[in-house]
Every structure is written in structure tokens, then in C-alpha cells.
Amino acid sequence: MFRDSFIEDTIGPVIEYDRLRRAELTRTLEVLLMCSGEPTSTAEILGVHPNTVERRIDRISELIGPVWQSGRPAAEIRFALRLHNLVEI
């Protein structure tokens, strides 16, 4: 199905990383985008140290590529996160 392949192609590696390691990368990605990419605000919302958010950003970049924070990729990631959250309900 298109929805599933879109989610997989866009944020699949992040979801899989979380599933295998019980990490919080997907949630971090969601909050980071909500906070316009601001790590300090993201850390406050998540209740973690800003350095933790920076390390998670680095890991996300390793998993889905370094351009995920800009323009169209960020919009696609937001959409994929919304779809993923709907599927999880």
C-alpha cells in the first residue's frame, strides 16, 4: 500500500532503529520538527539534556540522510510521521 511504502521510504530506518533498541528517535524527530529544529526546546519538551537531542539528531541523520531538516524532505517527514501515528492508533 502507498501509505506503508511512503512511511518506510521516508522514516522507516528511524522507526526500525527505535523498535530494535527501544530508542526515542521517532518521538525526537516529531518534537524537533514541531520546534522548528531547535534542540534546546526539543530537549525541554522531551525532558532530556540538549546533548542527548544533539546525539539523536546525529543518529537520525545517519539513518535517513543529512538533508532531512530542510524544505521538502522535512515536509515529507512531517507527513510520514502523521501517517505513522494514525497507523499506530
Side-chain angles (χ1 to χ4, degrees):
M1 178 177 269
F2 171 76
R3 177 196 67 210
D4 296 333
S5 65
F6 179 75
I7 293 169
E8 179 60 32
D9 292 345
T10 309
I11 58 172
V14 176
I15 295 168
E16 183 67 7
Y17 187 93
D18 282 351
R19 187 183 70 74
L20 293 174
R21 293 170 181 81
R22 295 186 179 192
E24 296 275 334
L25 296 184
T26 305
R27 177 73 177 133
T28 301
L29 182 56
E30 185 175 24
V31 174
L32 187 65
L33 290 171
M34 182 182 73
C35 293
S36 301
E38 172 53 46
T40 303
S41 299
T42 301
E44 288 175 16
I45 291 171
L46 294 174
V48 298
H49 194 276
N51 289 344
T52 300
V53 173
E54 292 291 347
R55 284 192 302 276
R56 290 178 184 178
I57 290 170
D58 290 344
R59 178 66 65 196
I60 291 166
S61 294
E62 289 173 11
L63 293 169
I64 61 176
V67 297
W68 62 269
Q69 294 178 340
S70 63
R72 184 178 176 141
E76 290 176 354
I77 290 168
R78 281 186 184 91
F79 185 61
L81 286 165
R82 286 186 184 130
L83 285 175
H84 176 65
N85 288 337
L86 287 173
V87 171
E88 292 294 307
I89 294 176

